[in-house]
Amino acid sequence: MLSVLGPLSSQTKLFASRNKPRGDSFVFRLHYRTTFVFVMGSCLMVTATQYLGDKISCLGDKDALPDTVIETFCFISSTFTLPSTSDGQAGLEVAHKGLGPSTPDTETKYHNYYMWVPYVLFLQAISFYVPHWIWKMVQTDKVNNVLQGLNYLIINQEERKKKEDIMVDYLYYQWGTHTAWAMKYVFCELLNLVNIVLQLVITNQFLGGEFTTYGSRVVDFVNQDPQSRTDPMYEVFPRITKCTFHRYGPSGSIERHDAMCVLSINILNEKIYLTMWFWFLFLLAITILMVIYRAITLFFPAVRSKVILSRAYRYGSHETTDFVSEKCNFGDW
């Protein structure tokens, strides 16, 4: 399993080197590094477990049907539970919660999402990387080119002076031309916000509307009386379900075969989506705060002056930073 996650190790460096020029923010990196690694790693784990291990095990009539037939059929079609039996006491009133005898009029809840989990997770991981990819395409590595290596502490003083003169000349002659470049970055930050909202909606629809309150229900479940509580993880990701297989009998009549299936893959799915619920909400909150901060710096030059002063407190003064902030627009800042 560790070898499967190995290729993602290069993406886990959330905190870039202090001397390395950065053309994006910490929140931006939370999207295309931390979240991308988490979702893609979950995709790889589910794929390895689902297609290299026992994805489903069904208990049926072995004399009538081979296990491989019923298990393959149940996995590629769907399994179901009976909501009317979910409140029954397991082992006394029902064999397992959500299971019981069914008739054509019995309400059934079908579960076929588990076969699509790896594909959905993969597309979600890619979606978190897309804004970063767009930014890489449009920024043309401007930060690195402007700094020319001046971010490194060890550099020849004569060479440093030459590069500083080049940088000052660039800023002087290109003053006022960076607005479009800066707005492209703001656009990519907005894409991050749109994407995290979209992923919350997609995940909720994918899980049949259960994802919105999933995490909060699990927290409530932990604090409830163990004798009367109902595990919401079991409701959203049932571990034991039913499956019905029809075939023609020797006389040509249709025979019905019921099987009870164990979805071991849901043990992993329930933990992944619980972690995802908490992380997505945190990411949404911190992304909204970043967008608000970006809007404030965009419309209030005084704030930009304070930010410059906080970054250059050893070298500048209020008069210098105020003068620079008054003369430059948002893109130059």
Side-chain angles (χ1 to χ4, degrees):
M1 185 64 72
L2 292 178
S3 61
V4 173
L5 301 177
L8 297 177
S9 60
S10 60
Q11 292 291 331
T12 58
K13 298 178 181 179
L14 175 61
F15 299 96
S17 171
R18 190 171 183 178
N19 291 327
K20 184 178 180 180
R22 295 176 297 185
D24 51 36
S25 68
F26 169 76
V27 176
F28 207 126
R29 291 192 296 277
L30 285 179
H31 284 263
Y32 74 85
R33 282 190 175 173
T34 306
T35 308
F36 171 79
V37 170
F38 163 62
V39 179
M40 186 61 76
S42 299
C43 172
L44 294 176
M45 286 192 295
V46 171
T47 302
T49 303
Q50 190 172 109
Y51 293 100
L52 301 180
D54 294 329
K55 49 186 176 289
I56 188 172
S57 299
C58 294
L59 177 63
D61 188 352
K62 294 185 177 181
D63 296 332
L65 287 173
D67 289 342
T68 54
V69 173
I70 191 67
E71 289 174 357
T72 303
F73 170 79
C74 292
F75 182 78
I76 63 176
S77 57
S78 62
T79 60
F80 64 89
T81 53
L82 307 175
S84 59
T85 63
S86 298
D87 295 331
Q89 188 173 358
L92 295 177
E93 300 174 347
V94 293
H96 296 278
K97 288 182 177 295
L99 302 187
S102 59
T103 64
D105 298 330
T106 304
E107 179 188 0
T108 57
K109 182 179 181 180
Y110 287 91
H111 309 278
N112 58 2
Y113 58 83
Y114 46 81
M115 70 180 73
W116 297 103
V117 168
Y119 307 101
V120 173
L121 289 176
F122 176 78
L123 293 177
Q124 287 183 305
I126 296 301
S127 72
F128 281 101
Y129 198 83
V130 167
H132 171 65
W133 178 81
I134 295 175
W135 174 235
K136 286 181 65 176
M137 295 299 102
V138 301
Q139 74 157 322
T140 62
D141 208 18
K142 186 182 290 290
V143 176
N144 260 327
N145 293 335
V146 171
L147 287 180
Q148 312 168 82
L150 287 171
N151 50 294
Y152 294 106
L153 298 177
I154 302 176
I155 186 173
N156 181 274
Q157 291 301 316
E158 184 178 350
E159 182 181 357
R160 174 180 289 275
K161 183 63 171 64
K162 291 180 180 179
K163 290 185 176 182
E164 287 175 349
D165 291 340
I166 295 174
M167 178 186 291
V168 171
D169 289 340
Y170 166 80
L171 294 175
Y172 179 80
Y173 289 108
Q174 299 298 321
W175 203 250
T177 64
H178 302 99
T179 301
W181 179 81
M183 296 312 296
K184 291 175 183 176
Y185 177 74
V186 175
F187 172 74
C188 290
E189 284 191 321
L190 291 176
L191 277 184
N192 283 329
L193 177 59
V194 171
N195 178 64
I196 183 60
V197 173
L198 186 62
Q199 296 311 314
L200 283 168
V201 173
I202 290 175
T203 306
N204 187 57
Q205 291 296 321
F206 177 62
L207 297 180
E210 301 279 1
F211 187 69
T212 303
T213 59
Y214 181 52
S216 59
R217 288 163 58 194
V218 172
V219 173
D220 291 338
F221 163 75
V222 174
N223 297 322
Q224 290 175 2
D225 182 5
Q227 300 297 327
S228 59
R229 62 186 184 182
T230 301
D231 190 351
M233 291 191 291
Y234 189 92
E235 293 181 354
V236 181
F237 301 98
R239 297 148 206 168
I240 301 180
T241 57
K242 289 187 66 176
C243 179
T244 302
F245 183 84
H246 295 90
R247 73 166 188 171
Y248 288 103
S251 63
S253 59
I254 298 178
E255 296 180 349
R256 171 180 173 146
H257 298 271
D258 284 339
M260 188 168 62
C261 299
V262 179
L263 296 173
S264 56
I265 188 65
N266 273 348
I267 296 295
L268 180 60
N269 287 335
E270 66 183 21
K271 306 304 188 300
I272 288 176
Y273 280 96
L274 179 61
T275 306
M276 185 181 293
W277 188 86
F278 286 104
W279 177 252
F280 276 11
L281 288 185
F282 166 75
L283 191 63
L284 175 64
I286 198 171
T287 304
I288 291 175
L289 292 176
M290 173 54 71
V291 171
I292 293 174
Y293 165 77
R294 192 65 63 206
I296 292 174
T297 58
L298 177 61
F299 295 108
F300 297 96
V303 176
R304 301 201 293 263
S305 177
K306 293 184 181 299
V307 173
I308 292 178
L309 183 63
S310 66
R311 298 292 180 87
Y313 65 94
R314 293 182 179 178
Y315 313 104
S317 63
H318 284 282
E319 293 77 11
T320 304
T321 56
D322 290 343
F323 177 78
V324 172
S325 299
E326 290 174 1
K327 296 297 182 180
C328 72
N329 58 30
F330 177 74
D332 294 324
W333 173 77

